[in-house]
């Protein structure tokens, strides 16, 4: 009897002396990985197209997502997505994969740990509080899977603020709860459901300490309209400083180069897909300059957007006749089926001048894939069509706005304002 009591007292003493795991953090589930099984289950896809490589993913309060490779099973599956101060832990690097072995869906992305090569995964069959995990890309524990909707998210190329809503549960969004990522019903404006890639401004528009410039952003959520960036993107206004213009302009890159607004790297194959030239189109003008009412010319810097050359601000510069200042006026074709209307298309990149009233003030006008779909598969978009009946002048009044909003000169770039219905907003076509 006395020995039993002593044992119980000893157990209570050990329990009282044991460290308490803070709410939201996870004890390690294994002491080491089975290296052979891990390498089989988490094989990197070296053929994949990446919009971002080894980037941080930040929460609205400026912390970073990370994975502890020993917090799951022996293959590094079932690991939770945790949250910590940026730079305080390993496992804070992530790849955003837009095409490859485990992603065959246009306009979508996988989010993959650069530490373990496992994918963001949502499994509603698991217990509440443990449904958001990292798992072998393709959805098979041994790495033999191909593609699964539980790991795919719609993506239009920006760096955020964005939300993660998996294809297999479109009404649910990944949500920060303490020091871990969980899931909850999507709620507009919920800061706990907002994330950014790299040094993009966090939710609320305040940049991190290491981010000196504003960055283009876009919604990352799988809904019926998310594949149309002109309807869902949210973009922070970039610097109004005009780009430096050499005598020959800024060439359109043919190799992977850094892009300034989305914090990623230009992908020439994705650019070619997104901006295919419409050789069937009727062109009222080819390779002309367009002079704004303030006397400056429209200018496109192909490295100022995202990895597809979308979301490029339309700059205003002193007219110099460079290739960056050349545009086609298209009155009929694949992306224009409306009479007495025109698309204004960059002759350099084949992107269309686009209006999106849902973007932040100062960044409602950008160059985007004609047709309004990020990957180039769109047909027509009223935010890109403006009235045109001929002649050498035009008012950039997007048909989506029914003559209420016009595109006008802003601070170093095109912006939008109420239509004045006089000659103060007329642009001139300069052959």
């Amino acid at each position: 009897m006395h020995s039993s009591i002593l044992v119980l007292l000893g157990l209570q003493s050990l329990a009282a002396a044991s460290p308490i795991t803070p709410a939201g953090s996870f004890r390690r589930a294994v002491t080491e990985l089975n290296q052979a099984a891990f390498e089989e289950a988490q094989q990197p896809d070296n053929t994949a197209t990446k919009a971002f490589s080894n980037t941080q993913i930040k929460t609205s309060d400026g912390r970073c997502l990370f994975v502890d490779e020993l917090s799951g099973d022996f293959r590094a599956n079932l690991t939770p997505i945790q949250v910590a101060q940026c730079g305080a832990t390993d496992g804070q690097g992530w790849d955003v994969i837009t095409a490859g072995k485990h992603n065959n869906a246009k306009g979508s992305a996988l989010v993959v740990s650069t530490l373990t090569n496992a994918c963001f995964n949502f499994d509603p069959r698991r217990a509440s509080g443990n449904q958001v995990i990292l798992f072998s890309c393709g959805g098979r524990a041994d790495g033999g899977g191909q593609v699964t909707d539980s790991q795919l998210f719609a993506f239009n190329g920006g760096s955020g603020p964005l939300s993660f809503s998996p294809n297999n549960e479109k009404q649910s969004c990944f949500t920060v709860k303490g020091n871990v990522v969980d899931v909850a019903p999507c709620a507009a404006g919920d800061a706990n459901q907002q994330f950014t890639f790299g040094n993009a401004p966090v939710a609320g528009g305040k940049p991190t300490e290491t981010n000196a410039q504003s960055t283009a952003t876009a919604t990352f959520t799988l809904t019926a309209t998310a594949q149309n960036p002109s309807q869902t993107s949210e973009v922070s206004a970039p610097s109004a400083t005009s780009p430096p213009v050499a005598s020959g302009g800024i060439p359109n890159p043919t190799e992977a180069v850094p892009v300034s607004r989305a914090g990623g790297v230009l992908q020439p194959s994705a650019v070619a897909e997104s901006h295919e030239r419409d050789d069937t189109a009727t062109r009222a003008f080819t390779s002309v300059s367009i002079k704004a009412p303030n006397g400056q010319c429209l200018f496109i810097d192909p490295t100022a957007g995202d990895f597809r050359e979308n979301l490029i601000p339309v700059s205003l510069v002193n007219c110099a006749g460079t290739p960056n200042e050349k545009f086609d006026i298209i009155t009929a074709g694949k992306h224009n089926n409306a009479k007495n209307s025109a698309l204004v298309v960059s002759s350099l990149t084949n992107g269309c001048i686009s209006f999106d009233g849902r973007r932040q003030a100062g960044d409602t006008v950008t160059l985007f894939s004609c047709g309004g779909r990020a990957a180039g598969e769109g047909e027509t978009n009223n935010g890109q069509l403006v009235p045109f009946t001929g002649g050498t002048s035009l008012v950039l009044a997007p048909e989506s706005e029914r003559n209420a909003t016009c595109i006008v000169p802003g601070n170093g770039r095109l912006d939008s304002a109420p239509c004045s219905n006089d000659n103060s907003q007329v642009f001139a076509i300069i052959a």
Side-chain angles (χ1 to χ4, degrees), residues 130-184:
N130 196 26
Q131 296 174 331
V132 175
I133 54 176
L134 290 183
F135 204 79
S136 295
C137 297
R140 291 274 298 270
D142 63 357
Q146 295 296 317
V147 178
T148 175
D149 283 347
S150 65
Q151 297 175 348
L152 289 174
F153 304 81
F155 182 56
N156 58 22
S159 54
L162 49 88
S163 58
F164 296 119
S165 178
N167 193 15
N168 63 334
E169 191 69 47
K170 299 179 183 180
Q171 290 75 40
S172 296
C173 286
F174 286 10
T175 304
V176 175
K177 295 183 179 179
N179 295 326
V180 69
V181 177
D182 200 358
V183 70

Side-chain angles (χ1 to χ4, degrees), residues 57-428:
I57 301 178
K58 295 181 179 177
T59 60
S60 62
D61 61 2
R63 295 182 295 160
C64 282
L65 306 191
F66 79 97
V67 59
D68 176 353
E69 64 181 353
L70 299 182
S71 63
D73 67 10
F74 66 99
R75 293 185 174 108
N77 282 327
L78 307 175
T79 52
I81 303 170
Q82 301 186 64
V83 186
Q85 294 301 315
C86 296
T89 68
D90 293 331
Q92 293 187 4
W94 305 89
D95 292 346
V96 179
I97 291 179
T98 56
K101 178 180 178 182
H102 303 296
N103 182 3
N104 60 3
K106 289 185 177 181
S108 68
L110 302 166
V111 182
V112 184
S113 167
T114 56
L115 178 66
T116 68
N117 293 313
C119 280
F120 270 24
N121 189 90
F122 174 68
D123 187 349
R125 301 169 298 178
R126 297 180 60 79
S128 178
N130 196 26
Q131 296 174 331
V132 175
I133 54 176
L134 290 183
F135 204 79
S136 295
C137 297
R140 291 274 298 270
D142 63 357
Q146 295 296 317
V147 178
T148 175
D149 283 347
S150 65
Q151 297 175 348
L152 289 174
F153 304 81
F155 182 56
N156 58 22
S159 54
L162 49 88
S163 58
F164 296 119
S165 178
N167 193 15
N168 63 334
E169 191 69 47
K170 299 179 183 180
Q171 290 75 40
S172 296
C173 286
F174 286 10
T175 304
V176 175
K177 295 183 179 179
N179 295 326
V180 69
V181 177
D182 200 358
V183 70
C186 295
D190 186 346
N192 291 320
Q193 297 180 349
Q194 297 295 304
F195 303 86
T196 56
F197 293 133
N199 286 327
V202 297
K206 296 180 180 180
T208 61
E209 291 181 0
T210 58
N211 182 37
Q213 296 180 347
S214 299
T215 303
T217 63
T219 300
F220 192 143
T221 177
L222 191 54
T223 64
T225 60
Q227 292 181 341
N228 187 344
S230 68
Q231 298 300 317
T232 62
S233 299
E234 299 179 3
V235 181
S236 301
S239 168
T241 303
S242 298
V245 182
S247 59
I250 301 173
N252 197 8
T254 58
E255 299 178 352
V257 297
V259 288
S260 59
R261 292 194 65 187
V265 176
L266 185 141
Q267 300 286 341
S269 59
V271 171
E273 179 183 48
S274 299
H275 299 287
E276 185 177 354
R277 189 177 192 272
D278 182 6
D279 291 323
T280 69
T282 301
R283 289 172 165 79
F285 295 92
T286 300
S287 194
V288 294
S289 297
I290 298 179
K291 185 178 288 187
N294 68 352
Q296 292 183 299
C297 282
L298 311 192
F299 181 98
I300 302 300
D301 176 355
T303 67
D306 67 11
F307 73 104
R308 290 188 173 108
E309 291 185 358
N310 284 327
L311 302 172
I312 297 174
V314 183
S315 300
L316 294 167
V317 300
N318 294 329
C319 300
T322 66
N324 306 82
E325 300 167 53
K326 300 302 181 182
F327 294 84
D328 296 352
I329 309 297
I330 291 181
T331 55
K334 178 180 178 182
H335 304 295
N336 182 1
N337 59 4
K339 291 183 177 180
N340 298 324
S341 67
L343 299 168
V344 182
V345 183
S346 168
S347 307
L348 182 68
T349 71
N350 294 315
C352 280
I353 293 179
S354 303
F355 171 80
D356 182 359
R358 297 191 180 190
R359 301 181 192 270
Q360 284 190 353
D363 200 24
T364 54
V365 182
T366 62
L367 202 73
F368 205 84
S369 296
C370 296
R373 298 284 288 272
E377 72 273 34
E379 295 185 357
T380 59
N381 184 291
N382 285 342
Q384 297 176 341
L385 291 170
V386 298
F388 182 71
T389 57
T392 57
S393 63
L394 72 168
V395 175
L396 301 180
E399 294 190 358
S400 60
E401 303 308 295
R402 300 179 181 274
N403 206 39
T405 300
C406 284
I407 295 173
V408 299
N411 185 14
R413 58 170 293 181
L414 290 186
D415 202 348
S416 57
C419 293
S420 63
N421 297 314
D422 57 27
N423 292 329
S424 65
Q425 296 175 340
V426 176
F427 290 72

Side-chain angles (χ1 to χ4, degrees), residues 42-65:
Q42 316 294 357
Q43 298 179 38
D45 180 4
N46 294 323
T47 69
T49 300
K50 298 177 182 180
F52 297 91
S53 296
N54 198 28
T55 189
Q56 291 177 325
I57 301 178
K58 295 181 179 177
T59 60
S60 62
D61 61 2
R63 295 182 295 160
C64 282
L65 306 191

